[in-house]
Structure formats: structure tokens, C-alpha cells
Amino acid sequence: MSNVMSMRFVPGLLAALLVAVAAGCGQSGVAGSAGAVVPESAVAYVSVDTSFEGDQWRALSGLLERFPDGEGLVDELLEKASAEAGLGGGADLRAALGPEVALVVLDEPAAAGDEPPVVVLTQPGDEAAFADLVEGAGAARAEVQGWQAVAETEADLERYREALDAGSLEGSQAFEEAMDGLPAEALARVYVNGAGAGGLTRGISPLPLDASGGSLGAAVVAEDDGVRVEGRAIAAGEDEAPELDAYRSELVEEIPAGAVAFLSFNDLGSALEQFAGSLDGGMALPFDPGEVGGLLSGEIALYVRAGPTVTLLAEVDDEQAAIETVELLLGLAGGEAPIVYEAFDGLLAVSNSQAELDALRGDGPRLGGDDRFAAALEAAGMPDETTGFGYVDVEAAIPLVAGLAPVAGTADALPEAYLEPLGGLVFWGEPAGDAQRFSLFLAVE
């Protein structure tokens, strides 16, 4: 949106939405009801509960109270947003926003470097307060089927109306498949339509959503002991969908205890060969994807321990071939970073620390028996078999990654009180028919 809009409209109407998204929770049965006025062709749709009431907002307040100065934080943020919007207080902002705010990305930008056209939808309880929010923002506004639609220009509103006339998300099969089975109680709901999102993501990352179709749905909820994200990814078609089978991690019993981050995935070789096959004919990889892929058909884990040390561990059938492949890839990569590697007991280990390789060969405690790791997986409700999963000990990882380890006796020591409530972050995938289901859970203790 334009700079004029961001001066007034965004701080008011969207600040509360951003508060809700960052908080990660909401009121039952509210977020997502705008689907009837969202065009079926929209490339993205985000709906957030802005009622600031209900069981999940109470859950949010309970989570925030576990942090220093967290009590009453939601009200403080609402009051600040109201002040920036020129309103008289949090209650006015609630009334101006209504119980739900939705953002709709209509289609990809008309030209490179342009921003995509966005429409904001809401049903304000106080029309005058809402008018105050929009006044002076240079925005276009119209009523559409009982909803207030706001966009940067009248042309964007016209594009929105034309797209809506062609059909809405209500009754859309792609939308229903993407959102199927997601939690009914959710603050935020997100839908991405891959048929139109290719232009938005092209050149950014190899997302599995492109012009051939596919979709993604997600819901954000709050629980008494943390924040959870549940989602579904629908592939464009059977030929496009990667075959991901659920497996039980064996490498957690090989890795030393005390990892602050851990990632497990299976059969990277098939994904590598599929990626190589999708490349344009004029582009070639400097190695044989079939040979490398054949060595990576088992479980692979990447983990971080204090130091920090970063280690990759893979199950391999041919240890000598695995060593030769590592040497080939390291030669291609160049650089002078100290890398050590060994193959033993059907495993390939590559690390920046010889001590880590020694620990792998040693008899010390293993990650699978690490109490903090096990507690995080149990709190998240992760199943025994997944299509891949990850774990981060947030309290330990933040100072390690950010280099913020406290120095004794200094006033600038890391505020540990803000980290202590943070537990493990666990995320995983699992098959769900023709879809892939994914989950993420951040514990707040």
C-alpha cells in the first residue's frame, strides 16, 4: 500500500491484526467467516479474530502473564494502536475493527517491483470509529455484501468486485481441501492458492505452489501451555506430489544428548533427484544426482550443540562411497572452514568439530533419552512416526545463536527471565491422504 495509507490506515486497522498474529491465538468460530466475500481467484487470504474476547484471548493473557511485565500487555498494545490511529482508546479500536479483519491479496503484481493489490475486509461495530480510521488515509472504501472493503485505489476495489462476481471461497473445493480438518477454534486462518501465487513467489524460493495449482491452509491457535500452528499442503497433482512416507527416527538414539536444535528427514536422495529432473535443460548440476541421491536414501539428521557445533549425520549403505561424495562436494564448495568427517557403523558424520565426532563414537547419554527433548515432544503431541520433524530448545538456542550469553557482573546481561518461560519448539509433518499435514508447537511453561 502507499505511504499515505501506512501513515494512518495501517497503524490503526492493521496494527491490531499484527498484534493478533504475533500473539497466535483467538476466539472460537470467528476467524475465517469472511470467505463468502473473498474471491475464489485470490492468491492469499488471511483472516484474524479482532474481537479480543473469548477463551483463546484468555489463554493468550495467561501465556503472557508468565513473562515479566506480561500482565495486561494486550490492553496496552491496543491502547497504543488506538493512539496511533487517532482514536480514544482500546474499546474504540475494538468497535472500529469489528470481530474479524481479513486481508485479501487479489493477484500478482502487474509489473516487477510493484506491490500486489490488497483489500482489507471488516464489519465494524462502530461505523463512525471505522470512518475515523480510514479518514485521511487516501484509501478507497465501499460496502460489499455487508462488509466494508478498503483498498489503496478505486481501481483495486473494482478489480476486487469483478473477481468476486466470478465466485467466492465459499464452496470452493480447493479452499475446503486446504482447510479441511484444521482446528475450529483459531485466531488466524491463512489460505494460499498456488494457481495464482506462482508470480508472488517466483525467484524467492522453490515453494511447492506454482501456476499448475496446489494450495496451503493453516490455522493459529492458543493453548494453555503454548501456541500451535496446524496446516495442510495440497500438491498440484499426483505427478507433482513428493512421496513422503512416515518413519520413526532412529538417529535420535545415535546423537549425544544436549542438542539445542535437531532436524530429521528421510530419503533426501529422492527429493534431490526430483529437483534435478525439474531443472531446465540448459542447467546442469556439477555432480551426478543419481549417485549422490543413492547415498542419501535413509534418515538424515542435522543438529546443533553448545559451541556452537553443527553436525550432519546420515544413514548410509556404502561408507567408502559416502566419504568420496563428501570430498567431492567439499571440493566443489571450496572455502577454508574447518570441516571434519568420518564414516562408521553405517553412518556418515560431517561436523565443524572433531570433539563432536568423538562424542558420536562415545558411550555418553543420547538425545532420545534427554529429558528436555522428550518433554518437548510430549507437550507438542508429536506422533511416533512423521514425515520429518524438528526441535529447538528455544531458551538455550537464543543466546547461542544470537551470541547473547550473559557476562557475569555486567548490567547488560541477557534478561533470562524473558527466556525462562519458553520451552521447546517442535514441528513435524505427517501424511493425510492426498495432502501433507504439518504442525508446529511452541511451549510456554
Side-chain angles (χ1 to χ4, degrees), residues 231-314:
R232 280 169 56 87
I234 313 294
E238 293 183 1
D239 293 338
E240 301 288 338
E243 295 182 2
L244 298 177
D245 296 324
Y247 68 97
R248 185 187 184 102
S249 174
E250 302 292 340
L251 293 183
V252 293
E253 303 302 333
E254 302 288 344
I255 291 171
V260 299
F262 171 83
L263 177 64
S264 170
F265 42 99
N266 204 39
D267 194 9
L268 178 63
S270 294
L272 177 62
E273 292 183 46
Q274 183 178 10
F275 170 73
S278 68
L279 295 176
D280 295 335
M283 181 177 181
L285 295 175
F287 56 85
D288 186 335
E291 291 183 5
V292 175
L295 294 171
L296 303 176
S297 59
E299 183 185 359
I300 303 171
L302 184 69
Y303 67 96
V304 180
R305 295 212 303 159
T309 64
V310 181
T311 305
L312 182 143
L313 188 65

Side-chain angles (χ1 to χ4, degrees), residues 100-124:
E100 179 184 359
V101 172
L103 269 73
V104 180
V105 180
L106 293 179
D107 50 35
E108 62 182 275
D114 290 350
E115 295 182 0
V118 176
V119 174
V120 178
L121 301 168
T122 188
Q123 290 180 309

Side-chain angles (χ1 to χ4, degrees), residues 22 26 53-54 67 78 107 109 121 131 160 172 182 220 228 242 252 258 266 280-281 319 342 358 392 409 424:
E53 298 177 353
F67 295 87
L78 287 172
D107 50 35
L121 301 168
Y160 161 71
S172 164
L182 297 183
V220 184
R228 186 179 300 275
V252 293
N266 204 39
D280 295 335
E319 295 179 8
E342 293 180 13
D358 295 340
V392 179

Side-chain angles (χ1 to χ4, degrees), residues 6 23-24 80 117 125-126 152 211 218 234-235 287 290 303 313 317 324 348 365 379-380 388 405 415:
S6 65
K80 182 178 180 181
D126 186 330
E152 184 175 1
I234 313 294
F287 56 85
Y303 67 96
L313 188 65
D317 294 327
E324 293 174 357
L348 170 67

Side-chain angles (χ1 to χ4, degrees), residues 31-402:
S33 63
V37 287
V38 176
E40 185 176 14
S41 61
V43 300
Y45 161 48
V46 180
S47 174
V48 177
D49 168 21
T50 49
S51 68
F52 307 106
E53 298 177 353
D55 292 341
Q56 290 201 358
W57 275 107
R58 283 189 286 273
L60 168 63
S61 297
L63 293 175
L64 292 177
E65 287 173 1
R66 300 173 194 178
F67 295 87
D69 306 318
E71 186 172 358
L73 181 59
V74 172
D75 287 338
E76 291 179 15
L77 291 173
L78 287 172
E79 290 176 5
K80 182 178 180 181
S82 295
E84 291 179 352
L87 298 177
D92 290 335
L93 183 59
R94 291 182 178 94
L97 293 175
E100 179 184 359
V101 172
L103 269 73
V104 180
V105 180
L106 293 179
D107 50 35
E108 62 182 275
D114 290 350
E115 295 182 0
V118 176
V119 174
V120 178
L121 301 168
T122 188
Q123 290 180 309
D126 186 330
E127 294 283 353
F130 180 74
D132 286 344
L133 276 180
V134 180
E135 180 184 357
R141 176 164 65 104
E143 182 175 341
V144 179
Q145 299 182 25
W147 289 76
Q148 291 292 322
V150 182
E152 184 175 1
T153 66
E154 289 288 351
D156 286 343
L157 278 182
E158 184 60 29
R159 292 168 70 180
Y160 161 71
R161 293 189 190 94
E162 291 175 355
L164 186 60
D165 287 342
S168 74
L169 288 182
E170 191 171 68
S172 164
Q173 181 177 352
F175 178 69
E176 291 179 357
E177 288 180 353
M179 309 304 292
D180 183 39
L182 297 183
E185 297 188 3
L187 168 69
R189 290 182 180 272
V190 179
Y191 170 68
V192 179
N193 176 6
L200 298 177
T201 61
R202 191 177 300 120
I204 300 175
S205 64
L207 296 176
L209 302 175
D210 53 39
S212 61
S215 59
L216 181 146
V220 184
V221 300
E223 300 180 2
D224 292 339
D225 54 356
V227 178
R228 186 179 300 275
V229 178
E230 295 280 354
R232 280 169 56 87
I234 313 294
E238 293 183 1
D239 293 338
E240 301 288 338
E243 295 182 2
L244 298 177
D245 296 324
Y247 68 97
R248 185 187 184 102
S249 174
E250 302 292 340
L251 293 183
V252 293
E253 303 302 333
E254 302 288 344
I255 291 171
V260 299
F262 171 83
L263 177 64
S264 170
F265 42 99
N266 204 39
D267 194 9
L268 178 63
S270 294
L272 177 62
E273 292 183 46
Q274 183 178 10
F275 170 73
S278 68
L279 295 176
D280 295 335
M283 181 177 181
L285 295 175
F287 56 85
D288 186 335
E291 291 183 5
V292 175
L295 294 171
L296 303 176
S297 59
E299 183 185 359
I300 303 171
L302 184 69
Y303 67 96
V304 180
R305 295 212 303 159
T309 64
V310 181
T311 305
L312 182 143
L313 188 65
E315 296 177 332
V316 294
D317 294 327
D318 188 329
E319 295 179 8
Q320 182 57 39
I323 290 293
E324 293 174 357
T325 299
V326 170
E327 292 174 345
L328 169 64
L329 295 177
L330 289 177
L332 293 172
E336 300 180 358
I339 300 294
V340 292
Y341 50 92
E342 293 180 13
F344 54 91
D345 300 333
L347 300 172
L348 170 67
V350 183
S351 181
N352 65 338
S353 167
Q354 181 60 48
E356 197 60 41
L357 299 190
D358 295 340
L360 279 165
R361 287 181 174 271
D363 297 324
R366 299 291 142 174
L367 183 61
D370 187 310
D371 290 342
R372 191 163 177 84
F373 175 76
L377 268 56
E378 181 178 1
M382 193 187 88
D384 292 336
E385 293 190 347
T386 70
T387 56
F389 78 98
Y391 156 79
V392 179
D393 182 341
V394 179
E395 182 181 357
I398 289 178
L400 181 66
V401 174

